[in-house]
Structure formats: structure tokens, C-alpha cells
Amino acid sequence: MKKHIVLFFLLITLAVFTQSVREMFSEVIVDWAKGNVNSALQKMEEIFYKPVPAEDLAEFWYLRAKLMIETGRVREAYEDLKNLLVIVPDQPEVLSLVHNLEFILQNKKTVSFYMKTLRTLDGFKDGVEYFFSPTDVAVLGQTIYIVDPPNNRLIETDGYTYSVKNLSFRPGQVFVDREGNIFLISESGDVYRNEEKIGSFLHPIGAGILDSGEFVLADVNRIVLMKDSGSDEIPLGGNPLITDAEIYRNRVIVLDTWSNSLIVTNVDDGEQQRISLPVPARSFEMFYDGSYLLLDQFGTLYHFDGRKLLKIGSVPQYVNIEYEYPYLFGTDWQNHRVEISILKSSEPIFVHIDSFEFTTDRMFLYVRVENAFGKDIDLVHLFSDLLEARGRVPFEVSYKTREYTFYISDEEFLSEKIYQINDRKGYCVLVPPDTSFSNEQLAVLKLKNIKLHSMSDAPPELKEFCYRSGGGVGTPHFLKHNLWVFSFSYVKPITEEIIPISAAFRTPEMNYSDTVYVTKKVIELELK
């Protein structure tokens, strides 16, 4: 009889502790969502002194690891997450976070590539001709811009529906900056900004928009930086035959077909260097880390890091290619279409749920999706998933931009002040050139949505660190970033069960994801 009483007492005690632990976990979730990170971590540490139900252990460990990273305990969080993978080896958000941390802490390099076509945009859709011979593509947010010279058209599409704008000129190239301004270059050499003519050139080839805001093009034997107040020129020596141009950070790179080399120009000081190419290239694109994607005369695509050449695949059907990480856009004249392929290496894609909100019937997740160097990834709505309790559910994705808060700090920012920012709403911080830094701090910056900037007199190592955070050199010109809002009709828990909610970006190799948790008490606290 006494044994039954003791067993009954233990069961009641465990039930009470379980209820108490789950209630505390709910408070941790709400604290995290409101930016009270230190309070959330303190409560989480208290939880681990209590009996944690085995079925909840993975959720507790994962959220604790994220809190530890935000407070600077990065290595400890990484070791905990690797141990967690022993228990849940296939849990996507744990795999993603471990992958992210390994990339940051171990400086992993590109080793292989894969490319797979995932979507086709047809010029003829539902019996209507929207475009006939596409020549160029640009992308921003959830919009793809396609130029169609034969029809004097600019087409805008979200991947599902088309909007056609008739132009008064024959467009050949299109670019868009982070503010949504559309730059068009006509086949006759005129340059337009939002359909207003801003210049005329002999043979302009657009390169893109610098972080400082200038639209850059190459014209015969010079580089032109177009500003609101006029333009600057940088001469190119050697009488090059320019067939393509791109930008990367503060550099403009042009392809000189005569010498089969790239001319790399630093726009800050005008310094130039030539890089000889190992294959006869007809065009090129920039990879996220500053290496090159080369398209040769036969339609073979390569990766070239300055020393090693790696074949990726063959795309002879494309007249032109454009690359916006991780998407390769191929313009196929013969079939009147644009193909969208995923092209990336083993580097991670960073998915962060910054916060969430509830109404009485819908939940909203505010999500960032960035490349390994902190730059926005577009078209997330085409390649995303949302899971509730590990199962896919119907959802909607909308796009908005959020403005960064910019301020100037001192050398103590990374050692102290970084931990005082907890709301993940986005900050651009200018730090002095004597700032010390570490890979562990980079992991904190990425999770907290903080981009560092330095000035031109900063050491090269600090400049590279700032670029890796998603920032750069000098005062930032574009102060907005992508924010993806995932919304769905959520299940209202009856008990105190913990329901994981995951937002994911899909690629053929992996679902990169982040997860938050919902309980009955979380919903009650949020709705109040």
C-alpha cells in the first residue's frame, strides 16, 4: 500500500513540475519575442534545474542555445547543439543553426557547386504574349523585372502573375536598387531612371548599383558612376573590348574580350588590376564571396576563384545569364522564357524569425532570409515552407521592408554594447578603426540583425569583418532590408503542449529554417 502511495506522490509531483516547467518556458518565449533576452535566459537556466519532460527536451535546448548566442556564449551553444543532434539528427532548425555556426566559427570554404532549375517563367501564358525575346533580368523583394526589346516592354512578375509596362524606347538592360528605383539602358545607348532619361552613351553596359548609391556602367574605355548631382569617370587603359560588367563591394569589374581578362577597378582610389581568365569567357557574374561565375563561348558555366577553375554545368540555351544569389536567371530566346535555377555551394543560408504576433485567428512571423555575408535574399515567397507541429500547413507570405536604425559607436561596441541590443529590428553601426572583433561576435551580430560599418582608414581585417556581417565601408546609403511576413491560421492548444512553428527556405540540398514555439499560455499572454 505504501509503495502505491509513494508512486502516486511521485506522479503528482512530476505532473506539477511539468506544468510549472512548461509555464516557465512560455514566459521565456514571450520574453524572447519582446527582446527581454537576459530575462529569458535566466528563466531558461532555472528550468534546467527542474525535471524537463523528455518529449520537450529538444525544444528547450534549441531555444536555450539561441539565447546563449545572443548573450555571447557562442561556443557553449555550438557544443550543446551538436549534442542535441545526437537526439534529433534530422531536425531542420537544429541542423541549420549548427551549419550556420560551423560556417562562422570554422571559416569553411567553397568546395563544390550544384545547380538545378526550379521554375520557368514563360513569355506566353494563358494565351497571352507577355514577352517574346527576353534579354535581361533584375530582382527585388518579390518582384522579377524582365526586359523585352522587340515589344518595347518591361514586365514585372511575382512568379505567378504578370504586369506589362509599354515603353517609348527599346530596352536592353534592367537594374533595380534597394529603394526600388528601376534603371533601364536602351539599345540606342540611353539610360533611364524610372523612365526618366538621365544620360546617353556610345556603348553602355550596366554594372549595377554600389552600396554608396551610384548607378555604374562601362562605356567603351571608361567607367561611369552616375549620381544625382552628375557623374564621375574612371578611365580604362589598353583599349578594351568590354562585353560585360559587374560590381562587388567598392569595385567595378569589366570583361575585356580582347585580352580575355577581367579589369578590376577600386572606385575609391581608381586602382586597377587585371585577372587573366582560364577559359574564353563571353560573360561573367559575381558569387557572393567575390569569386566569379564564368560563361564560356560554348555555354559552359564555371566557378573561378582566381586560381582554381571548377566546372558547374552546361547552359548553351541561354543568350544571357544574371545571378542574384542564390538564383541564376537564364534568358532563353528560342523558347521565349526565363528559367530560374538555384545555384550555390555548401555555404549556409541564414533564416531568422525575429519576432511574432497573434490575432484571435492568425499568427504572423517576421522573418529575415540572408546569404552567408548578411545580404538580403529575394523571392523567398517562391521557395518557402511553413510548418506547424512539424507538418506543412497552408500559409501566405508577404513582402515589406524595414528601415535600419543607424548610429555611431565606440570601440566598446562589440565587447559590451552589442549585448544591450535585443529587439532584432535592425541596426547599422559605424565603429572606429581600432575595434577588436572575433568570429563569436559575428554569430551574435547575425542573430541580432546588426550590420557593422567601418571607415576607409580601418584595417583590411576589420573591413572584411564588417562586410561579413552584412555591412561595409563608409556610411550606408541604403538603410532598408527585406522582411518576409509569414501568416497562417494557427491551432489553439487546449493543453500546455509545446507546438513548434517553423519558417523554412527550401533548396534541393536542404531546408534552411528557424523555429519558434507556441503554447496556450503564450497565446494568452500575447493577446493581452
Side-chain angles (χ1 to χ4, degrees), residues 89-212:
D90 299 320
Q91 202 146 300
E93 68 271 18
V94 182
L95 285 167
S96 289
L97 192 48
V98 169
H99 197 192
N100 294 352
L101 291 174
E102 287 179 344
F103 178 84
I104 294 170
L105 298 177
Q106 300 174 14
N107 286 321
K108 288 197 169 182
K109 303 298 183 182
T110 296
V111 292
S112 61
F113 282 82
Y114 70 85
M115 179 175 66
K116 183 177 181 181
T117 300
L118 298 182
R119 199 173 191 88
T120 298
L121 304 175
D122 293 309
F124 292 86
K125 183 177 172 66
D126 300 325
V128 178
E129 180 192 291
Y130 290 98
F131 58 86
F132 185 76
S133 295
T135 58
D136 201 13
V137 175
V139 61
L140 176 66
Q142 62 183 15
T143 305
I144 303 166
Y145 302 86
I146 305 170
V147 289
D148 178 19
N151 291 314
N152 291 5
R153 288 175 178 173
L154 173 67
I155 296 88
E156 298 180 12
T157 176
D158 60 0
Y160 300 102
T161 61
Y162 294 90
S163 172
V164 176
K165 181 172 292 187
N166 292 310
L167 304 172
S168 60
F169 54 90
R170 190 178 173 99
Q173 304 166 61
V174 60
F175 301 85
V176 59
D177 68 20
R178 302 310 296 181
E179 297 288 344
N181 297 302
I182 302 171
F183 295 84
L184 293 165
I185 300 179
S186 73
E187 292 191 343
S188 61
D190 297 326
V191 179
Y192 297 82
R193 182 179 186 266
N194 299 326
E195 296 185 65
E196 179 182 349
K197 186 175 176 180
I198 59 173
S200 296
F201 301 89
L202 292 175
H203 186 60
I205 297 176
I209 296 94
L210 293 170
D211 289 341
S212 51

Side-chain angles (χ1 to χ4, degrees), residues 115 134-135 173 203 205-206 241-246 253-262 276-286 292-302 304 309 313-322 328-334:
M115 179 175 66
T135 58
Q173 304 166 61
H203 186 60
I205 297 176
L241 176 60
I242 301 172
T243 56
D244 202 358
E246 301 290 339
I253 305 97
V254 300
L255 173 61
D256 175 14
T257 303
W258 282 133
S259 62
N260 192 42
S261 64
L262 299 174
S276 297
L277 299 179
V279 291
R282 61 183 171 95
S283 65
F284 76 103
E285 295 289 323
M286 300 301 301
Y292 307 99
L293 302 174
L294 305 177
L295 185 65
D296 74 3
Q297 304 292 342
F298 308 102
T300 305
L301 187 63
Y302 298 91
F304 180 56
L309 184 70
S314 181
V315 288
Q317 72 275 23
Y318 296 155
V319 173
N320 187 28
I321 61 170
E322 289 296 330
L328 180 75
F329 298 90
T331 53
D332 184 347
W333 273 14
Q334 184 174 355

Side-chain angles (χ1 to χ4, degrees), residues 248-449:
Y248 184 77
R249 295 179 179 175
N250 65 336
R251 287 170 279 172
V252 181
I253 305 97
V254 300
L255 173 61
D256 175 14
T257 303
W258 282 133
S259 62
N260 192 42
S261 64
L262 299 174
I263 305 174
V264 182
T265 302
N266 186 314
V267 299
D268 295 331
D269 56 20
E271 182 180 346
Q272 294 179 347
Q273 68 173 121
R274 280 184 179 265
I275 300 174
S276 297
L277 299 179
V279 291
R282 61 183 171 95
S283 65
F284 76 103
E285 295 289 323
M286 300 301 301
F287 198 50
Y288 81 93
D289 61 358
S291 55
Y292 307 99
L293 302 174
L294 305 177
L295 185 65
D296 74 3
Q297 304 292 342
F298 308 102
T300 305
L301 187 63
Y302 298 91
H303 175 259
F304 180 56
D305 64 3
R307 297 184 302 274
K308 184 178 178 181
L309 184 70
L310 181 65
K311 181 179 177 180
I312 297 174
S314 181
V315 288
Q317 72 275 23
Y318 296 155
V319 173
N320 187 28
I321 61 170
E322 289 296 330
Y323 186 72
E324 290 288 341
Y325 183 93
Y327 312 109
L328 180 75
F329 298 90
T331 53
D332 184 347
W333 273 14
Q334 184 174 355
N335 294 296
H336 316 293
R337 65 188 182 191
V338 174
E339 293 183 347
I340 307 175
S341 300
I342 292 286
L343 171 58
K344 68 183 296 293
S345 184
S346 54
E347 72 287 335
I349 288 173
F350 288 72
V351 177
H352 297 299
I353 301 174
D354 283 342
S355 60
F356 58 81
E357 292 178 355
F358 290 94
T359 64
T360 55
D361 59 348
R362 293 190 74 79
M363 183 176 184
F364 299 85
L365 306 179
Y366 298 94
V367 183
R368 282 180 292 126
V369 183
E370 300 173 342
N371 74 13
F373 279 9
K375 298 299 185 182
D376 287 333
I377 288 179
D378 298 308
L379 306 184
V380 168
H381 64 296
L382 297 180
F383 306 101
S384 56
D385 262 336
L386 191 138
L387 294 88
E388 182 180 35
R390 308 293 174 194
R392 288 185 176 89
V393 293
F395 68 102
E396 297 176 358
V397 182
S398 60
Y399 166 75
K400 61 187 297 186
T401 58
R402 182 168 60 187
E403 188 144 352
Y404 284 113
T405 298
F406 174 74
Y407 70 92
I408 300 172
S409 188
D410 54 28
E411 68 277 0
E412 295 180 347
F413 179 79
L414 285 176
S415 59
E416 296 179 13
K417 297 178 181 179
I418 183 178
Y419 306 111
Q420 299 168 13
I421 296 177
N422 295 315
D423 58 18
R424 296 173 291 276
K425 290 183 179 178
Y427 295 85
C428 288
V429 182
L430 185 66
V431 295
D434 54 350
T435 300
S436 58
F437 56 90
S438 69
N439 285 339
E440 288 82 357
Q441 292 164 336
L442 182 59
V444 180
L445 292 170
K446 287 181 175 293
L447 205 58
K448 286 178 175 285
N449 193 17

